């Protein structure tokens, strides 16, 4: 009996131990330390860390206009990014579940941008906005291409939106395709026989039945756009004049460029709370709209 | 008869429209590849045209400046080693957590799932402190340890769901035949988990290969640079030198595009499975 209990202990240690150790060291400990540092004036270098209470939080919430601007930018970007990626992803999926000859080729093309990391994509698109668009503009004379794409606040915002949508719509498309394939054919046929129009079928049958996929896709799109960093860094570096600085980049700059680690960790905690609250609410909300076939 | 004809024309029109959209999706790649072999002058005059002459010399110089082979090997080693360990460690934990449904294991599972909503930016600042305290800074093994920590919640979560679907009878039969727990896991369960292990491997491989922020915080030495880090460093140094930058970018994206085209089926399946579980 005693021997058996020891071997259970050993087994638990061998099987779960490594995962637990890495998880604790890399996520739990920094998270708790972060909570602590957010109440201090730590500068990241010195050993002296003074407790400042809620000062960091007060400063961020009341007079940090740069943080407020980055938060506003991220919110606008998230709203547009989530809507556009999901609409495009779903539209592509809707047509790619029809019997097209080039279906497999099309899926490959639409998904491909997603395998390239955001950092490299940002640099590639920097060239396209600066040189490529200008060249198209010269040839075609369409004013859209001759805009100073990365030069003004408004166009730079749209530039990031365009690249983000191009990058992520294909991923959401894959999820929507698998969900559309699971919509029972007999229900669709029955609706057709009853004389429902394509729009009616889409609205009243297809969309309610793919809500589980929508839950996942909205969750992914929200967390990706809210956490955007790589693309932002390589495409605009937050410019012009800090107008496209995302919250993630603002936190990074606070800590690693300005050496205000205490303030940075407080921002990071606020960021975590916002991401957690928004995604939880969204999942709850869309899950309540899910129906069974 | 009329209806089928109608829908066939409809299908053909849809097909043409979709091919045009696909072309639009491919335009950035056209710009990237075509301009990467142009001379600097040619590139500045017209970025949309085909090259006047093909300059492979751009590639040779970019290859040298970015120290491409080193960056490639670093990225490759980090991705493969992190992933093999991640899959193994997560599979063992997931297996045990399903089969020994103790209160401890249940709470641990909830914590793993909850940790998935923690954004990287929320822990990166103290993470730098923790990793330098325990001596993981500026080393590839140190970075691998970080990827293990970050990858475990999602990997355990996916594998946990899969283990539940494995029938217990097979394991019981093996136990009756005298196989111990470790034998059951390594010789019976692990091979049965293969489809999900592949999924987890691929999802993590794409993420780790493309990751910029974590290696940029962890690796300072130039000889430890991964592809994203080398590319970023290159852009800091050669701003607007597009005749060198574009070949560097092509070399940066080519490995992952080739990987994608080869593993396409598994990648698409992996995303679908990952999404259903998530």
């Amino acid at each position: 009996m005693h021997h058996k209990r020891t071997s259970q202990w050993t087994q638990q240690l061998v099987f779960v131990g490594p995962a637990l150790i890495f998880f604790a060291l890399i996520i739990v400990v920094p998270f708790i330390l972060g909570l602590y540092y957010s109440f201090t004036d730590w500068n990241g270098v010195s050993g002296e860390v003074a407790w400042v209470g809620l000062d960091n939080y007060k400063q961020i919430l009341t007079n940090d206009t740069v943080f407020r601007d980055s938060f506003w930018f991220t919110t606008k970007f998230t709203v547009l990014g989530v809507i556009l990626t999901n609409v495009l992803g779903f539209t592509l999926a809707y047509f790619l579940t029809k019997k097209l000859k080039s279906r497999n080729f099309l899926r490959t093309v639409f998904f491909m941008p997603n395998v390239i990391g955001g950092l490299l994509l940002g640099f590639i698109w920097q060239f396209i906005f600066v040189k490529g668009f200008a060249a198209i503009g010269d040839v075609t004379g369409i004013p859209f291409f001759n805009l100073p794409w990365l030069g003004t606040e408004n166009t730079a915002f749209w530039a990031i939106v365009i690249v983000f949508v191009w990058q992520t719509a294909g991923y959401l498309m894959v999820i929507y395709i698998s969900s559309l394939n699971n919509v029972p054919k007999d229900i669709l046929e029955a609706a057709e026989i009853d004389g429902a129009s394509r729009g009616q079928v889409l609205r009243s049958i297809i969309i309610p039945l793919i809500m589980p996929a929508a839950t996942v896709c909205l969750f992914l799109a929200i967390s990706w756009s809210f956490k955007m960093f790589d693309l932002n860094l390589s495409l605009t570096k937050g410019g012009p004049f800090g107008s496209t600085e995302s919250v993630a980049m603002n936190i990074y700059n606070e800590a690693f460029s300005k050496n205000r680690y205490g303030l940075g960790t407080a921002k990071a905690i606020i960021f975590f709370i916002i991401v957690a609250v928004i995604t939880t609410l969204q999942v709850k909300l869309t899950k309540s709209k899910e129906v069974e076939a | 008869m009329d209806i089928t004809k109608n829908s066939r024309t409809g299908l053909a029109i849809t097909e043409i429209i979709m091919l045009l959209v696909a072309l639009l999706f491919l335009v950035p790649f056209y710009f990237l590849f075509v301009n990467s072999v142009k001379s600097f002058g040619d590139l500045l005059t017209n970025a949309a045209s085909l090259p006047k002459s093909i300059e492979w010399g751009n590639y040779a110089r970019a290859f040298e400046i970015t120290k491409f082979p080193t960056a490639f090997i670093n990225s490759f080693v980090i991705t493969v080693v992190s992933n093999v360990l991640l899959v193994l460690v997560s599979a063992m934990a997931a297996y045990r957590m399903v089969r020994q449904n103790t209160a401890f294991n249940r709470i641990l599972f909830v914590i793993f799932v909850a940790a998935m909503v923690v954004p990287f930016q929320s822990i990166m600042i103290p993470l730098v402190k923790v990793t330098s305290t325990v001596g993981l800074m500026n080393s590839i093994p140190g970075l691998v340890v970080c990827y293990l920590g970050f990858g475990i919640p999602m990997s355990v979560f996916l594998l946990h769901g899969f283990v539940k679907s494995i029938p217990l009878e097979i394991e019981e039969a093996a136990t009756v035949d005298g196989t111990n727990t470790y034998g059951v896991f390594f010789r019976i369960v692990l091979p049965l988990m293969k489809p999900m292990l592949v999924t987890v491997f691929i999802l993590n491989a794409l993420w780790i290969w493309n990751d910029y922020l974590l290696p940029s915080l962890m690796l300072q030495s130039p000889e430890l640079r991964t592809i994203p880090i080398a590319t970023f460093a290159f852009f800091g140094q050669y701003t607007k030198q597009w005749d060198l930058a574009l070949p560097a970018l092509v070399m940066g994206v080519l490995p992952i595009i080739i990987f994608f085209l080869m593993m396409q089926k598994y990648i698409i399946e992996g995303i679908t499975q990952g999404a259903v579980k998530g």
Side-chain angles (χ1 to χ4, degrees):
Chain A
M1 189 62 211
H2 180 71
H3 175 75
K4 187 150 192 220
R5 199 182 301 155
T6 3
S7 95
Q8 274 298 328
W9 263 101
T10 326
Q11 280 174 26
Q12 174 79 11
L13 214 63
V14 170
F15 279 98
V16 182
L20 188 56
I21 290 169
F22 292 122
F23 176 74
L25 178 71
I26 302 303
I27 297 187
V28 180
V29 173
F31 187 77
I32 294 168
L33 264 181
L35 268 177
Y36 162 69
Y37 283 129
S38 73
F39 297 106
T40 70
D41 67 352
W42 184 40
N43 67 8
V45 192
S46 88
E48 276 177 53
V49 179
W51 184 265
V52 296
L54 286 170
D55 279 8
N56 291 328
Y57 289 93
K58 245 183 252 164
Q59 195 187 331
I60 295 161
L61 297 174
T62 56
N63 64 36
D64 191 333
T65 53
V66 179
F67 183 72
R68 206 178 303 157
D69 289 347
S70 72
F71 189 76
W72 177 230
F73 163 78
T74 306
T75 309
K76 273 194 301 183
F77 173 76
T78 303
V79 170
L80 269 168
V82 169
I83 294 172
L84 294 176
T85 48
N86 276 281
V87 168
L88 183 61
F90 177 77
T91 311
L92 295 176
Y94 181 74
F95 289 115
L96 288 188
T97 41
K98 299 194 182 303
K99 291 192 186 77
L100 302 181
K101 289 192 193 73
S102 52
R103 199 158 66 168
N104 291 334
F105 167 76
L106 290 169
R107 285 182 193 187
T108 307
V109 170
F110 294 136
F111 185 79
M112 196 151 68
N114 204 275
V115 297
I116 305 167
L119 191 93
L120 291 150
L121 282 185
F123 285 130
I124 293 171
W125 273 90
Q126 199 186 326
F127 175 76
I128 291 165
F129 281 123
V130 175
K131 293 270 171 279
F133 271 24
I136 301 176
D138 286 345
V139 177
T140 59
I142 301 171
F144 173 85
F145 293 107
N146 281 326
L147 293 172
W149 274 98
L150 301 176
T152 73
E153 300 184 2
N154 198 21
T155 48
F157 172 78
W158 281 101
I160 302 181
V161 172
I162 291 172
V163 183
F164 182 76
V165 172
W166 176 76
Q167 179 192 14
T168 44
Y171 196 103
L172 304 185
M173 172 195 78
V174 167
I175 300 169
Y176 280 124
I177 285 177
S178 81
S179 179
L180 283 168
N181 284 337
N182 286 331
V183 173
K185 295 277 174 298
D186 49 335
I187 299 185
L188 296 177
E189 275 162 23
E192 211 175 311
I193 291 165
D194 290 346
S197 73
R198 255 180 235 172
Q200 281 172 320
V201 172
L202 185 65
R203 244 192 339 270
S204 322
I205 300 172
I206 297 179
I207 292 182
L209 283 178
I210 58 137
M211 277 316 277
T215 302
V216 176
C217 287
L218 287 172
F219 174 83
L220 291 174
I222 291 175
S223 47
W224 288 335
S225 37
F226 222 86
K227 292 189 266 188
M228 181 195 41
F229 180 84
D230 293 15
L231 188 63
N232 202 191
L233 180 70
S234 58
L235 191 59
T236 63
K237 264 198 180 142
F241 316 113
S243 61
T244 61
E245 186 181 82
S246 66
V247 175
M249 190 185 262
N250 181 274
I251 294 171
Y252 179 88
N253 287 338
E254 196 67 73
F256 301 113
S257 313
K258 296 181 189 154
N259 282 331
R260 292 195 291 220
Y261 282 61
L263 209 58
T265 48
K267 286 183 174 182
I269 299 298
I270 294 174
F271 185 53
F272 159 69
I273 294 169
I274 292 169
V275 172
V277 168
I278 291 177
T279 48
T280 314
L281 281 180
Q282 174 264 317
V283 170
K284 279 228 164 90
L285 194 78
T286 45
K287 266 216 181 310
S288 69
K289 298 222 188 304
E290 290 179 11
V291 291
E292 296 266 326
Chain B
M1 185 62 203
D2 227 24
I3 295 169
T4 50
K5 203 174 184 186
N6 231 336
S7 70
R8 211 176 296 150
T9 352
L11 221 52
I13 293 170
T14 312
E15 182 127 34
I16 291 167
I17 293 173
M18 291 308 272
L19 283 170
L20 287 176
V21 178
L23 214 59
L24 207 64
F25 259 69
L26 288 173
V27 167
F29 294 106
Y30 166 81
F31 276 109
L32 174 66
F33 288 108
V34 159
N35 288 297
S36 72
V37 289
K38 284 185 189 172
S39 69
F40 197 48
D42 192 7
L43 184 150
L44 288 184
T45 8
N46 190 355
S49 68
L50 287 169
K52 285 200 189 81
S53 60
I54 293 184
E55 304 278 340
W56 291 114
N58 297 349
Y59 275 85
R61 282 180 61 205
F63 189 85
E64 250 171 64
I65 297 168
T66 54
K67 299 204 172 58
F68 185 76
T70 317
F72 178 84
I73 290 167
N74 287 340
S75 277
F76 187 81
V77 168
I78 290 166
T79 308
V80 171
V81 175
S82 303
N83 255 307
V84 169
L85 293 174
L86 195 50
V87 162
L88 184 69
V89 167
S90 307
M92 291 178 81
Y95 171 68
R96 176 77 185 180
M97 287 161 87
V98 172
R99 292 293 184 242
Q100 297 291 322
N101 194 10
T102 57
F104 177 84
N105 283 341
R106 275 200 301 272
I107 293 168
L108 189 63
F109 184 65
V110 172
I111 296 174
F112 279 164
V113 175
M116 287 195 282
V117 294
V118 178
F120 177 73
Q121 278 82 8
S122 295
I123 39 178
M124 68 179 177
I125 301 167
L127 179 72
V128 171
K129 166 103 179 164
V130 172
T131 47
S132 58
T133 309
V134 294
L136 293 175
M137 265 294 163
N138 205 21
S139 79
I140 286 179
L143 188 61
V144 168
V145 169
C146 288
Y147 282 128
L148 283 172
F150 285 113
I152 275 167
M154 173 78 165
S155 311
V156 169
F157 179 68
L158 290 172
L159 293 164
H160 192 271
F162 193 80
V163 173
K164 278 193 200 155
S165 69
I166 299 175
L168 200 57
E169 288 77 18
I170 309 173
E171 291 169 49
E172 281 165 354
T175 315
V176 172
D177 290 347
T179 321
N180 67 11
T181 319
Y182 303 102
V184 169
F185 176 75
F186 283 104
R187 279 192 266 147
I188 294 158
V189 179
L190 208 56
L192 286 173
M193 285 170 90
K194 211 175 120 197
M196 206 40 155
L197 297 178
V198 172
T199 295
V200 172
F201 190 96
I202 281 172
L203 289 180
N204 287 324
L206 289 177
W207 153 62
I208 293 174
W209 178 274
N210 286 322
D211 189 30
Y212 163 76
L213 190 47
L214 184 60
S216 83
L217 294 173
M218 299 278 299
L219 307 173
Q220 279 100 32
S221 314
E223 70 272 13
L224 295 181
R225 279 177 185 160
T226 61
I227 286 181
I229 304 293
T231 312
F232 190 78
F234 177 89
F235 270 81
Q237 226 174 329
Y238 297 87
T239 341
K240 304 283 165 342
Q241 282 270 57
W242 290 114
D243 55 330
L244 296 177
L246 294 173
L249 286 172
V250 171
M251 289 187 283
V253 300
L254 226 42
I256 195 77
I257 289 183
I258 293 169
F259 177 74
F260 165 61
L261 293 176
M262 278 171 11
M263 306 292 285
Q264 215 186 132
K265 190 180 138 229
Y266 299 100
I267 291 176
I268 302 283
E269 260 171 34
I271 286 163
T272 315
Q273 281 177 322
V276 175
K277 294 282 171 202

